[in-house]
Amino acid sequence: MGTIQGLHLLTNGTEEMNYEVQTYDATDNTVYYETVRDVIDYEVALIIISKKYPNRKVISVQEKTND
């Protein structure tokens, strides 16, 4: 579990978002939660986590509010 910096891209005035990505690892039967910060959309967050943890299955990507 942790926070991962995303890609800092020029967004032409759109706000970069934070996402919580839930993954499942069948080898230890565990669900993991990762936060990806400063990405354009959920697809980028999904790609970052999928590449970091190729053996895990992404089960959810949710936008986090900047509270």
Side-chain angles (χ1 to χ4, degrees):
M1 185 159 58
T3 300
I4 301 168
Q5 282 297 113
L7 304 173
H8 291 280
L9 303 174
L10 295 176
T11 59
N12 296 329
T14 60
E15 184 177 335
E16 292 177 333
M17 305 300 296
N18 300 323
Y19 291 89
E20 181 176 84
V21 182
Q22 298 175 14
T23 59
Y24 175 72
D25 189 337
T27 59
D28 60 3
N29 200 32
T30 303
V31 174
Y32 292 92
Y33 298 83
E34 301 284 346
T35 299
V36 181
R37 297 187 184 277
D38 300 329
V39 293
I40 294 175
D41 62 18
Y42 76 95
E43 290 178 357
V44 175
L46 184 142
I47 290 167
I48 289 170
I49 295 299
S50 294
K51 288 186 177 188
K52 183 170 181 172
Y53 303 109
N55 296 329
R56 295 183 189 173
K57 179 182 177 183
V58 174
I59 56 176
S60 172
V61 180
Q62 297 180 347
E63 184 179 325
K64 292 185 73 170
T65 58
N66 297 326
D67 295 338

